[in-house]
Amino acid sequence: VRDDSVNMTPGQADDGNSTESSRTQTETEDMVFRCLQRARGLEEAGQFGEHVQGGLTLQRRQHVEFLVAGLEELSAGHASLDASRPWLCYWILHSLALLDALPSEAMLNRVAEFLARCQDKDGGFAGGPGQMAHLAPTYAAINALTTIGTDYAYSIVDRQKLHRFLCSMKHPSGGFTMHQGGEVDVRGSYCGLAAAALSGVLTPELMQ
């Protein structure tokens, strides 16, 4: 759908305070912007459909190989995501599910076993083994286990403790804190309620 109201000018990500991450974001925005410019030029020249037909192909096999390899080992560049490991599991598994290419049961069980190690003894999931329980990785872990969809994966979740953890994150405002002593924002409400619904522990006290 053509939308002439879309701003085709790349924005500044740093609010005047340049950092390594803001510079990387700006480089990415510039790259995407150039792709959008090229696509708009083809569209205005009436060549977009001709260009795409037969030329835009999802490299399914390569994607599957890349994703499965990521379940085994990730590059050193992912070290900064050490506190987001359930998210990596979820992103990879969900992508594989969309490609109808979930790996073997043995590998899926290994992923479930890893997520079990991320489960806090008092409920909820952390970003990695031994870390603090947090609503974001709890959401990701529950979604990853749901994507696996086996009885073994479902058995990983301690639902009673999960419910207790979610209740402990409930804030008097009606929202949720992301972790003990953490911030309250819309992410908490979404992650908490979604995790509860998927796990079958969505109770009235969580929805108040």
Side-chain angles (χ1 to χ4, degrees):
V1 177
R2 175 74 176 271
D3 183 358
D4 290 324
S5 67
V6 174
N7 181 8
M8 292 291 287
T9 303
Q12 288 296 318
D14 57 16
D15 296 321
N17 298 298
S18 181
T19 65
E20 181 179 351
S21 59
S22 71
R23 289 190 293 272
T24 300
Q25 179 174 337
T26 299
E27 290 172 5
T28 303
E29 289 178 350
D30 288 343
M31 179 174 63
V32 173
F33 176 65
R34 289 193 295 273
C35 291
L36 289 172
Q37 282 184 312
R38 182 165 182 262
R40 173 161 288 186
L42 289 169
E43 180 187 24
E44 291 174 347
Q47 299 173 353
F48 187 75
E50 176 185 340
H51 176 77
V52 171
Q53 185 175 5
L56 186 62
T57 303
L58 177 66
Q59 303 295 332
R60 183 179 180 278
R61 180 180 59 80
Q62 290 91 328
H63 280 296
V64 171
E65 290 176 355
F66 172 78
L67 292 164
V68 172
L71 287 177
E72 292 282 2
E73 184 177 5
L74 292 169
S75 67
H78 290 84
S80 61
L81 295 175
D82 180 65
S84 301
R85 294 167 75 180
W87 280 105
L88 293 168
C89 293
Y90 171 48
W91 291 329
I92 292 173
L93 289 172
H94 185 61
S95 298
L96 287 168
L98 289 173
L99 292 167
D100 193 25
L102 284 174
S104 67
E105 184 176 352
M107 178 171 283
L108 292 176
N109 286 343
R110 286 170 53 199
V111 176
E113 289 165 3
F114 169 74
L115 292 171
R117 292 168 51 208
C118 297
Q119 188 167 212
D120 189 86
K121 62 181 178 62
D122 295 321
F125 290 79
Q131 299 179 24
M132 176 189 293
H134 192 290
L135 281 182
T138 295
Y139 169 86
I142 296 297
N143 272 278
L145 292 167
T146 301
T147 301
I148 293 173
T150 62
D151 289 341
Y152 177 67
Y154 294 140
S155 73
I156 295 296
V157 184
D158 188 322
R159 286 168 171 75
Q160 184 176 3
K161 288 185 177 181
L162 172 64
H163 183 260
R164 190 183 309 148
F165 166 70
L166 293 173
C167 287
S168 72
M169 295 296 103
K170 191 71 177 172
H171 190 266
S173 66
F176 290 79
T177 59
M178 292 301 291
H179 58 86
Q180 193 65 42
E183 67 276 23
V184 180
D185 56 38
V186 71
R187 293 176 306 149
S189 298
Y190 176 72
C191 290
L193 294 174
L198 285 170
S199 303
V201 297
L202 184 60
T203 57
E205 61 189 307
L206 290 175
M207 294 186 288
Q208 289 177 352

